[in-house]
Amino acid sequence: MENSPVIETLDISTDPELTPDQDPIYESHKEPQEEKLNKKQDESKEKIIRSALKLFAERGFFETRIPEISAHAKVGVGTMYRHFRNKDHLFNEAFRISFFLSYPHHRRFPCSGRSSLPGKLRS
């Protein structure tokens, strides 16, 4: 038996029920796909809100069109509608966030459990 090849063992747990993505010992240095997607969605939503605020301030609500906002934000029109039902919804969200940033002491203002965009837009 001295001539048998050496078998390398991997550093994994002994629980046969765990797959590598569930195994606490097996660590991947890659960010999970879901976190990457959420981060990308938050970034696109932030771009849209920044662009909408800028264009609404320059042109006004009625003179600003959804395709103009999406072009300014460098996202597709479909992405706009993934985040916002319509231009009114976008305006209301942009106003809510800008109000929150301008008056942070108004904690009674409902945040309704949405993403942390007010914190991100502050910079």
Side-chain angles (χ1 to χ4, degrees), residues 2 4 13 18 33 42 49 69-70 81 85 89 98 103 105 108 120:
E2 292 178 33
S4 63
S13 69
L18 294 176
Q33 194 68 20
D42 282 348
I49 290 174
I69 297 169
S70 67
Y81 287 108
R85 291 185 299 271
H89 182 224
S98 63
Y103 302 100
H105 57 279
R108 289 179 23 204
K120 292 179 183 178

Side-chain angles (χ1 to χ4, degrees), residues 92 95-97 99-100 103 106-112:
N92 288 335
F95 177 80
R96 183 185 66 80
I97 290 170
F99 179 84
F100 176 78
Y103 302 100
H106 281 67
R107 295 289 178 197
R108 289 179 23 204
F109 196 71
C111 289
S112 67

Side-chain angles (χ1 to χ4, degrees), residues 1-122:
M1 293 278 183
E2 292 178 33
N3 294 337
S4 63
V6 178
I7 299 174
E8 286 187 37
T9 58
L10 298 174
D11 189 22
I12 58 174
S13 69
T14 57
D15 189 350
E17 298 295 318
L18 294 176
T19 60
D21 61 328
Q22 299 169 330
D23 194 340
I25 296 175
Y26 181 86
E27 290 185 23
S28 174
H29 296 290
K30 295 182 179 179
E31 196 174 56
Q33 194 68 20
E34 186 176 319
E35 287 180 25
K36 285 182 183 179
L37 181 62
N38 288 339
K39 184 178 178 181
K40 188 174 181 180
Q41 288 176 346
D42 282 348
E43 287 172 1
S44 66
K45 189 172 184 178
E46 181 181 343
K47 286 182 197 177
I48 293 166
I49 290 174
R50 285 181 187 271
S51 296
L53 285 171
K54 183 177 185 325
L55 294 176
F56 287 150
E58 288 175 358
R59 302 177 187 176
F61 177 79
F62 293 107
E63 298 300 319
T64 304
R65 308 282 180 251
I66 290 285
E68 296 168 342
I69 297 169
S70 67
H72 189 272
K74 297 182 177 135
V75 297
V77 175
T79 303
M80 297 274 298
Y81 287 108
R82 182 174 297 133
H83 293 292
F84 306 100
R85 291 185 299 271
N86 52 36
K87 189 168 70 168
D88 293 330
H89 182 224
L90 171 58
F91 179 82
N92 288 335
E93 285 294 301
F95 177 80
R96 183 185 66 80
I97 290 170
S98 63
F99 179 84
F100 176 78
L101 293 175
S102 299
Y103 302 100
H105 57 279
H106 281 67
R107 295 289 178 197
R108 289 179 23 204
F109 196 71
C111 289
S112 67
R114 295 190 179 108
S115 67
S116 60
L117 281 177
K120 292 179 183 178
L121 288 175
R122 203 172 287 157

